[in-house]
Amino acid sequence: MTGKHRQEPAEEPEVTEPVIVRDRRKIDPDTGEVRPPATDELDETGAAAETTEAAPPLDESLVDEAVTVTSQAEKELAERTADLQRLQAEYANYRKRVDRDREAVVATAKSSVVGELLPLLDDLERAEQHGDLTGPFKAVADKLVTILQRVGLEPFGAEGDPFDPSVHEAVQHSTSPEVSGPTVTTVLRRGYRFGDRVLRAALVFVTDHEPAAAPADQAAAEPAEAPVEGELPLNGNENAG
């Protein structure tokens, strides 16, 4: 046995485990998409490791801060818009009030100036009635009357107009069956209005309606009342009968 070599046991080949490289990146670098959670990752107990993110604590707000900021900005924008609209409405009302007051002041000033010229118009009217308004004097008078009427002066009060106590001042009353109601029969002084204002009332004679008297022949045709027994006849003839 000494001459024989003792056969050494053959060495078993060393088994090496393959190297596994796991790509744990959550986003695929090629596609850019989020990868699903790995199922081969095990925890200490052998269960698959959960890759879901933990829920936020209960004391933390679930409302996104960006949404809150946007809502607050929209609310402030709505408030500023409402303030601007209200300011524009107030300014428009102010302009209307100022324009109305300005027109009233202008109308008052015009009526005051025109009212001072009414005696002059009365003199021109009397001169025309007497035939003295002729020649250049008449041309000037016509221009004056035209200008005053253009700015708003309007005469009123003519014979035959119905009597209106708001614009007529009656200085004499009479009655006549020829009119159906109170009527202006004579104008002593013409009245004037400027726009809606009555600058001066017209002085007039007014005639009221009077029922017509019965005809004389109709009154004579009516039979006389018979005398009552024991009384004398109405004609005073005591020897009658």
Side-chain angles (χ1 to χ4, degrees):
M1 298 296 295
T2 58
K4 297 180 178 181
H5 297 283
R6 187 175 57 181
Q7 186 178 0
E8 296 290 336
E11 295 181 359
E12 295 180 359
E14 183 178 357
V15 179
T16 60
E17 297 180 358
V19 178
I20 301 175
V21 178
R22 294 184 175 88
D23 188 359
R24 299 181 181 276
R25 289 177 293 183
K26 296 182 178 181
I27 299 177
D28 192 341
D30 297 332
T31 62
E33 297 180 354
V34 179
R35 292 177 175 177
T39 58
D40 56 349
E41 297 180 1
L42 302 178
D43 56 5
E44 295 179 355
T45 59
E50 297 181 358
T51 59
T52 57
E53 297 181 357
L58 296 178
D59 57 346
E60 295 184 2
S61 176
L62 299 179
V63 180
D64 191 354
E65 295 181 357
V67 176
T68 304
V69 173
T70 303
S71 301
Q72 184 67 20
E74 292 178 351
K75 181 179 179 181
E76 293 180 357
L77 178 60
E79 292 178 354
R80 299 297 182 271
T81 303
D83 294 340
L84 180 59
Q85 293 176 350
R86 182 166 53 255
L87 183 61
Q88 289 178 345
E90 292 177 356
Y91 179 69
N93 293 333
Y94 168 75
R95 289 192 59 182
K96 292 179 180 179
R97 184 169 60 255
V98 170
D99 294 340
R100 185 171 57 251
D101 294 343
R102 184 185 298 110
E103 293 177 358
V105 171
V106 172
T108 302
K110 288 182 178 180
S111 62
S112 178
V113 174
V114 172
E116 297 295 332
L117 296 176
L118 295 184
L120 176 59
L121 296 180
D122 295 338
D123 294 340
L124 294 177
E125 186 175 359
R126 284 192 291 267
E128 184 178 8
Q129 292 175 356
H130 290 82
D132 298 332
L133 192 62
T134 59
F137 184 42
K138 184 178 186 308
V140 174
D142 293 340
K143 289 182 180 179
L144 176 62
V145 173
T146 302
I147 293 173
L148 293 177
Q149 292 180 353
R150 186 183 305 165
V151 297
L153 183 65
E154 179 184 357
F156 64 88
E159 296 181 0
D161 292 344
F163 175 72
D164 186 357
S166 62
V167 295
H168 295 149
E169 182 178 352
V171 295
Q172 181 178 346
H173 286 269
S174 60
T175 58
S176 174
E178 298 179 357
V179 296
S180 59
T183 306
V184 175
T185 53
T186 304
V187 179
L188 300 180
R189 188 185 65 185
R190 193 179 303 276
Y192 290 93
R193 64 166 57 93
F194 187 83
D196 297 335
R197 302 181 181 184
V198 176
L199 298 181
R200 188 180 69 183
L203 291 178
V204 297
F205 286 172
V206 181
T207 302
D208 295 329
H209 174 69
E210 180 183 8
D217 53 353
Q218 182 178 357
E222 293 180 357
E225 295 182 358
V228 182
E229 184 179 357
E231 294 183 357
L232 297 175
L234 294 179
N235 56 9
N237 187 5
E238 297 179 359
N239 298 324

